[in-house]
Amino acid sequence: ETFVGLSNYELLFQNRAFRTALVNNALIIAVSLAIQLPLALAMAILLAERFRGAVMFRMIFFVPYILAEVAAGLIWRFVYDGDYGLIAKIATSLGFAAPYVLADRDHAMIAILVVIVWKYFGFHMMIYIAGLQQIDPNLYEAAHIDGATGRQILWRVTLPLLRPTIMLSVFFAVLGSIQFFDLIMPLTKGGPSDSTQTMVTYLYTYGVTRMRIGFGSAVGVVLFVICVAFAFGYNRIKVRHE
């Protein structure tokens, strides 16, 4: 056997598909933090109060998270299908050509991001609802007595007290985004032309299915280093704010 040194890492970072996978992981993290979590927080604030139908609405939004990732991927693959899917039927009924979303390099990743927001939005919403229900109602009552507006209460009472919950939600969102795999495989398997690869799907496609064990191990090491770096960075930020 020949010791190859760091050549697998050199090949890895020279590979266009791996660079695409890194960008896609960063894109998933950005969408999770900028769209999914604020949307989940806004919906949690609306549904945290006990009113008639609140539990039903919570379940409606939480059900996608309960659904297995592979099953959810297969459902959305049918929705996006250009021949028989729901989007194709809507497009043709409006007089447009049926789009083949998952076969389009420019739109496949956007379609996956929509599924990600739909799938995990309810999980973060329930985390925020649990955090909101731990806040003492007397604080809100005191703020109202002092004449605080709804926006002031949100920024000066709710969000500061919800900071530990938000930090936990961010941790789950980022770590899940880095390790993203289950939804990609039934939807696109990383295609078309590697445009929807993530680091884990890239590891599976190029390291496991092609039996390039050394190359796949290099991908695994890079993934491990990124996860550890994030975990340590998150811990330092958390300790600083406590």
Side-chain angles (χ1 to χ4, degrees), residues 66-117:
I66 300 173
L67 198 63
E69 277 79 359
V70 174
L74 292 173
I75 290 170
W76 279 91
R77 185 175 179 178
F78 176 75
V79 171
Y80 286 135
D81 187 276
D83 294 320
Y84 309 106
L86 177 63
I87 292 178
K89 295 299 182 183
I90 293 173
T92 52
S93 66
L94 295 174
F96 299 103
Y100 290 81
V101 181
L102 297 179
D104 189 331
R105 280 181 53 87
D106 297 326
H107 297 112
M109 195 62 206
I110 297 173
I112 288 173
L113 292 173
V114 170
V115 179
I116 291 171
V117 172

Side-chain angles (χ1 to χ4, degrees), residues 8 24 26 29 31 44 50 58 73 100 107 116 132 137 141-142 146 148 151 155 160 166 169 208 215 217 224 230:
N8 278 325
N24 285 340
I29 291 171
V31 168
R50 287 182 171 83
R58 292 176 195 173
Y100 290 81
H107 297 112
I116 291 171
L132 287 166
E141 187 177 343
D146 289 339
R151 180 173 295 183
W155 286 101
I166 293 173
S169 179
V208 178
F215 188 73
S217 298
F224 172 75
F230 167 70

Side-chain angles (χ1 to χ4, degrees), residues 223-238:
L223 184 62
F224 172 75
V225 169
I226 292 172
C227 289
V228 169
F230 167 70
F232 276 106
Y234 171 86
N235 191 56
R236 289 196 65 178
I237 293 171
K238 185 179 178 183

Side-chain angles (χ1 to χ4, degrees), residues 25 28 64-77 112 115-116 118-120 175-190 196-202 204:
N25 275 114
I28 293 171
Y65 177 72
I66 300 173
L67 198 63
E69 277 79 359
V70 174
L74 292 173
I75 290 170
W76 279 91
R77 185 175 179 178
I112 288 173
V115 179
I116 291 171
W118 169 84
K119 181 76 170 68
Y120 299 104
L175 209 59
S177 298
I178 293 172
Q179 303 174 26
F180 204 75
F181 175 78
D182 293 349
L183 274 177
I184 301 284
M185 297 309 290
L187 280 167
T188 62
K189 295 183 174 66
T196 60
Q197 293 280 10
T198 63
M199 282 185 285
V200 183
T201 61
Y202 181 88
Y204 178 78

